[in-house]
Amino acid sequence: MPPEAEPIRPISLAEIRLARERIAGTIVRTPLVRLELGPGAPDIRLKLENLQPINAYKLRGAANAVALLSDAERRRGVWTISAGNAGQGVAYAARAAGVPCTVVAIETAPAAKLERMKALGAKLVPVPYEVAWKALDDRAYPGVEGTFVHPFDDHNFITGHATMGLEILEDAPDTAAVIVAIGGGGLITGVGSAVKALRPSIRVWGAEPETAAPAALSFERGSPQVFSAWKASFVDGAGGQSLFPRMWQRMKPVADGSIVVTLEETKRAMRLMAEKSRVIAEGAGALPLAAALTGKAGAGPIVAVVSGGNIDLKKFAELVA
């Protein structure tokens, strides 16, 4: 029987602070650096989550979720579903805890992500994107056993991501807006929960590619939507086929909307970070900067979360050329 989903409840500031202490030995407190764009440009700071040990923010949530598993749950082993970054996070945390890990992996994920999941000791079960998305909703996959760690619809996973919000406000108390990529919705829910608890006036925006923007459609229509025009792209770590109703329920109280950007704008943001800050960002990691550069989030100070840098270098070079 698939595990029953937990009741949805708000994430408290006390929980976020406890999670921060719990994962401090596993994650890195990542730097916040100003992107120098010259006069007249918006004031943008980059939160460099690509510098985590797995080169992506997902380690925060995975470390917290695995740490809170019971002994019985650990003995069963853990499994998750991922295009790469959540799988790496869960595999990293599971290896540190001595727990076996299986990842139902989207078969079109970049080779770099698949190889790194294997290197971290995960057993991979490759599946098409549509099959993985259905398994996320079902919280089950035939033949895979163990304790399921949902890569976004999990209270403890999201609470781990929320620790990033504490760091942002400590390093940039003058922040006017924060932008994060939306895939499943766990990152914006976590960061938004921390930011809105401490500074409700700060705007929290999502960013999605034009090829996969169910959250923007959901904010426009006021209910969780399916994105019927979904297309696969190099932005593999964000942009889902739909916004799950449970994630809409989590996200709506702590997010102000989602900004849609083109694939060309995303490539330009990747190139700009490489040129100006020597930062390698994957497609999803560049979405927030691309969104900030549209002007839709205001003049700043804007914090753009660079959620990950797991991209094949050859592919990166092609995209930014």
Side-chain angles (χ1 to χ4, degrees):
M1 287 288 292
E4 191 173 330
E6 65 196 338
I8 291 171
R9 57 186 173 84
I11 297 170
S12 72
L13 205 48
E15 286 180 290
I16 299 168
R17 288 175 170 148
L18 284 173
R20 183 186 202 174
E21 294 174 16
R22 191 178 296 120
I23 68 177
T26 304
I27 65 115
V28 171
R29 182 189 172 118
T30 54
L32 191 68
V33 301
R34 187 185 298 272
L35 184 64
E36 298 295 346
L37 296 174
D43 179 350
I44 298 173
R45 296 93 183 265
L46 305 175
K47 178 63 170 167
L48 298 180
E49 287 294 297
N50 60 310
L51 299 181
Q52 290 293 352
I54 64 162
N55 301 118
Y57 79 97
K58 287 278 191 179
L59 185 57
R60 292 179 185 264
N64 194 50
V66 171
L68 288 169
L69 294 176
S70 68
D71 289 343
E73 288 170 327
R74 291 177 186 222
R75 281 195 296 272
R76 296 178 62 213
V78 297
W79 73 280
T80 192
I81 303 163
S82 176
N85 288 340
Q88 288 181 71
V90 174
Y92 187 101
R95 185 179 68 172
V99 176
C101 174
T102 300
V103 180
V104 174
I106 295 170
E107 58 192 11
T108 52
K113 292 184 179 181
L114 296 172
E115 288 303 317
R116 291 187 67 177
M117 285 190 280
K118 284 194 279 190
L120 288 165
K123 175 188 173 185
L124 301 190
V125 179
V127 300
Y129 187 97
E130 293 77 10
V131 173
W133 200 252
K134 183 177 186 302
L136 282 168
D137 203 12
D138 294 343
R139 308 176 86 89
Y141 185 77
V144 176
E145 297 181 350
T147 303
F148 179 50
V149 179
H150 200 290
F152 52 83
D153 185 9
D154 179 285
H155 189 89
N156 295 334
F157 215 96
I158 296 170
T159 304
H161 301 333
T163 60
M164 192 194 310
L166 302 181
E167 295 175 15
I168 287 170
L169 294 189
E170 287 167 359
D171 292 345
D174 59 342
T175 296
V178 179
I179 309 178
V180 306
I182 295 181
L187 177 57
I188 195 168
T189 301
V191 172
S193 295
V195 167
K196 294 291 189 181
L198 291 166
R199 294 272 304 283
S201 62
I202 294 176
R203 305 280 277 174
V204 177
W205 296 99
E208 295 173 290
E210 60 187 342
T211 50
L217 194 62
S218 301
F219 278 108
E220 180 186 319
R221 297 183 179 175
S223 61
Q225 298 292 316
V226 173
F227 194 78
S228 58
W230 185 91
K231 292 179 185 174
S233 76
F234 67 89
V235 185
D236 57 89
Q241 293 186 342
S242 62
L243 186 59
F244 290 177
R246 284 173 54 85
M247 294 310 296
W248 173 248
Q249 192 178 337
R250 292 185 190 277
M251 176 195 307
K252 194 169 180 292
V254 295
D256 293 286
S258 184
I259 298 168
V260 179
V261 297
T262 68
L263 295 182
E264 284 304 314
E265 287 170 332
T266 308
K267 290 178 190 176
R268 283 200 294 273
M270 292 169 72
R271 184 165 57 245
L272 190 64
M273 278 189 275
E275 289 174 345
K276 298 284 188 182
S277 300
R278 296 299 184 255
V279 167
I280 293 179
E282 61 187 271
L287 288 176
L289 174 58
L293 293 172
T294 66
K296 293 176 182 175
I302 300 168
V303 172
V305 174
V306 183
S307 55
N310 287 313
I311 184 169
D312 300 326
L313 283 180
K314 183 180 178 185
K315 182 67 173 177
F316 180 82
E318 290 171 1
L319 291 169
V320 302

